[in-house]
Amino acid sequence: HGGVYDAPAGAAFFQEEEEQEARPFYVPTPPPEEEEVERPGEHHGNFACDGGGEDLKRQSGDHVGDKGDGSPSPPPVPDALPSGALPAGGGLHATVDGAAHRDAAPKATPQVVNTTSPAGATDAQQEIQVIFFDLDGAEHSAYGAVFREIAGSGSSAQTDDTQLRDFLLTNTALSAEELDLELVKAASESHDFSISMDSFVGLLRRFPVSESDVLQQFMTTSADGHEISMEDCRSGLRNVLESRLHASWPEPTLELVLDHVMSDVAWTVDLERWTSFCSRLARIARLARYLRL
């Protein structure tokens, strides 16, 4: 038009722009999210396909461990193997449905804990505990071995056997005269007038401490001659052990043995119970000395 402004055409152009600006801005609504559902065949080991169908598979190269530290993980185990494909002794086993599973790691062997020993108990204390938990059995085992050496190939020993007499005099409270009498008593119970192993062990059990020493300690401690207190009983047992049996144990070991011997003590102790305590304490002390505990 030769530069001449066409008023009607210009007005129509601006009117069209105003109408476009007046229209509301359209924001498309995003499609609803689909809930991820695991479909059969989409689970592979530690990986699963997402809802979009993208299959994440293990590569044949490096595998990253579950801990995320870059350590290699074991090769993948297939969900199923064809019949006859399982190697013998390969760590896999097949179930009834033919699926292959890897054997579980062997469980560690539980350690046996000694619940009866106090915390911090020394080896010597634990060895003495073995003695008084089964005193009869420990005596039979230790003293029985001694008798077999004395008797040799036989099952009995003579009353005048030097080794027999020396061992009994060393490990009992019997004097030589008292021992002669007790050996005659024991031998008279056999058909060939000899000493059997049971008779030998029996003498060691019956005479671990002198009866006169036991009675003297009780009468010295008791106020009425009939009973003593629990505290006096404990101190009296300590005195018998140290002065009569000449045993010297560390304080923790001594307390441990006294606790065991007096495990059923009452508030007061009569002469019969006192004698029983002394006898058991002396048996433990003599066996521990022989075993050098």
Side-chain angles (χ1 to χ4, degrees):
H1 294 285
V4 179
Y5 174 72
D6 189 354
F13 172 77
F14 287 109
Q15 183 178 1
E16 184 178 353
E17 277 194 348
E18 292 175 358
E19 290 177 357
Q20 291 180 356
E21 292 178 356
R23 293 174 185 173
F25 182 76
Y26 172 73
V27 179
T29 304
E33 295 183 358
E34 295 182 2
E35 183 178 356
E36 294 184 0
V37 179
E38 183 177 332
R39 298 179 177 87
E42 291 186 351
H43 189 275
H44 302 275
N46 295 332
F47 302 96
C49 298
D50 58 15
E54 182 180 357
D55 188 7
L56 299 178
K57 299 180 179 180
R58 290 194 179 98
Q59 303 299 324
S60 60
D62 296 336
H63 302 278
V64 179
D66 294 337
K67 297 181 180 180
D69 57 358
S71 59
S73 61
V77 179
D79 292 333
L81 291 177
S83 176
L86 291 176
L92 299 173
H93 66 275
T95 58
V96 177
D97 58 1
H101 302 278
R102 186 171 299 276
D103 291 335
K107 296 182 180 180
T109 303
Q111 297 181 353
V112 178
V113 179
N114 184 5
T115 59
T116 59
S117 298
T122 63
D123 292 340
Q125 292 173 8
Q126 293 181 4
E127 290 173 350
I128 289 182
Q129 280 183 315
V130 172
I131 290 179
F132 58 63
F133 282 150
D134 184 13
L135 182 56
D136 290 347
E139 287 173 330
H140 189 274
S141 177
Y143 298 148
V146 173
F147 183 82
R148 285 189 291 270
E149 292 181 2
I150 295 173
S153 58
S155 59
S156 61
Q158 299 302 313
T159 57
D160 58 351
D161 188 286
T162 304
Q163 287 182 302
L164 179 77
R165 294 177 60 87
D166 289 345
F167 190 86
L168 289 173
L169 288 173
T170 302
N171 295 278
T172 66
L174 293 171
S175 65
E177 294 77 10
E178 292 171 337
L179 178 60
D180 289 337
L181 179 59
E182 295 300 330
L183 286 175
V184 170
K185 289 180 180 179
S188 62
E189 297 177 357
S190 66
H191 65 279
D192 57 353
F193 200 77
S194 61
I195 303 299
S196 65
M197 185 176 69
D198 290 340
S199 299
F200 175 77
V201 177
L203 291 173
L204 292 163
R205 289 174 177 166
R206 286 163 49 202
F207 302 103
V209 63
S210 171
E211 293 182 359
S212 60
D213 291 341
V214 172
L215 180 60
Q216 181 181 358
Q217 180 66 45
F218 181 85
M219 299 306 294
T220 301
T221 308
S222 176
D224 57 3
H226 296 288
E227 60 184 18
I228 57 177
S229 66
M230 180 175 58
E231 293 79 6
D232 290 339
C233 177
R234 193 177 187 90
S235 62
L237 289 174
R238 180 190 289 263
N239 186 54
V240 169
L241 184 68
E242 295 175 351
S243 63
R244 307 298 181 181
L245 298 171
H246 308 289
S248 179
W249 287 334
E251 189 65 22
T253 303
L254 176 58
E255 293 295 329
L256 186 68
V257 174
L258 291 177
D259 288 343
H260 167 74
V261 171
M262 299 178 61
S263 59
D264 58 346
V265 69
W267 290 106
T268 58
V269 179
D270 58 13
L271 178 59
E272 182 180 0
R273 177 64 67 180
W274 162 257
T275 303
S276 175
F277 288 163
C278 289
S279 177
R280 187 168 185 84
L281 178 63
R283 288 170 60 189
I284 294 172
R286 288 191 178 276
L287 182 57
R289 178 187 300 166
Y290 170 70
L291 297 176
R292 298 183 179 181
L293 299 181

